[in-house]
Each structure stands twice: as C-alpha cells, then as structure tokens.
Amino acid sequence: MLLDQQTGVRVYQFIVDRLDDRRREQYPDGRESYEDDWSAAHDLEKSYAEAVQAQDPDTAERLLQELMSMAAPWRNHPHHPDNDTDSGRQPGDAVPGARR
C-alpha cells in the first residue's frame, strides 16, 4: 500500500464503517466498546497522517500496520483495504447515480 494520506483515510473509514455495523448489531449494548475502538482508530489515523506529512516512512508504515491490524477481523469483507484495487474501488462496483 502507498504511504499517503488517502491510504490512511481509506483504511480508517473501512474500520469506522465496520464498527458502525457492529454497533448496530449489538444495540443497545456495545456503545462503550464502539467508542473505545473508534477513538483508537481515529488516533492511529491522525498519527499516521502526521507521520506522512512529516515524511517519516518508518513511523507511517508502523501506524498503517496497526490500522490494518484493527481491520483484520473483517479481512473477508469485500471492501477490506487489502481487497481494493489501486483505484480504491472494487471491480464491478457501481457508482451511485451512474447510468448503465
């Protein structure tokens, strides 16, 4: 994966989307777990962005790996970052509102 801002945002957003799914499944329970995991993902993504901005590839790589570890439970999900194409989209994904 590229060590750029978009990579961090893409992995972070994937994690947040899955956490939202989990929160809905566990409602009304699971709020504290959701908040803890969301905060951890947010802090990692922010630190990753700072490392990229500071041109510190070693730190950025380590932080990206931590984000990917958070995403690991959903490895088989079709939108997992490891399953994305270079464009960040899945092959065959429809663009909302696009005509066919």
Side-chain angles (χ1 to χ4, degrees), residues 7-78:
T7 298
V9 169
R10 191 173 79 235
V11 175
Y12 167 74
Q13 191 59 56
F14 172 80
I15 293 167
V16 168
D17 288 348
R18 302 298 69 77
L19 291 174
D20 285 344
D21 292 345
R22 186 181 75 189
R23 182 181 59 174
R24 282 189 291 276
E25 290 169 3
Q26 295 176 352
Y27 184 82
D29 299 320
R31 180 177 177 193
E32 186 174 320
S33 173
Y34 167 83
E35 290 174 354
D36 291 345
D37 291 344
W38 182 92
S39 292
H42 182 266
D43 291 346
L44 279 172
E45 194 279 328
K46 181 180 176 187
S47 296
Y48 170 81
E50 291 169 352
V52 169
Q53 183 67 28
Q55 298 180 354
D56 182 353
D58 293 335
T59 300
E61 179 68 33
R62 179 182 57 78
L63 293 166
L64 181 59
Q65 288 307 314
E66 289 183 45
L67 278 168
M68 292 302 290
S69 292
M70 287 190 77
W74 302 287
R75 177 69 182 92
N76 292 327
H77 191 282

Side-chain angles (χ1 to χ4, degrees), residues 80-96:
H80 188 280
D82 281 344
N83 299 331
D84 278 349
T85 62
D86 289 341
S87 68
R89 297 193 57 79
Q90 296 292 312
D93 273 359
V95 176

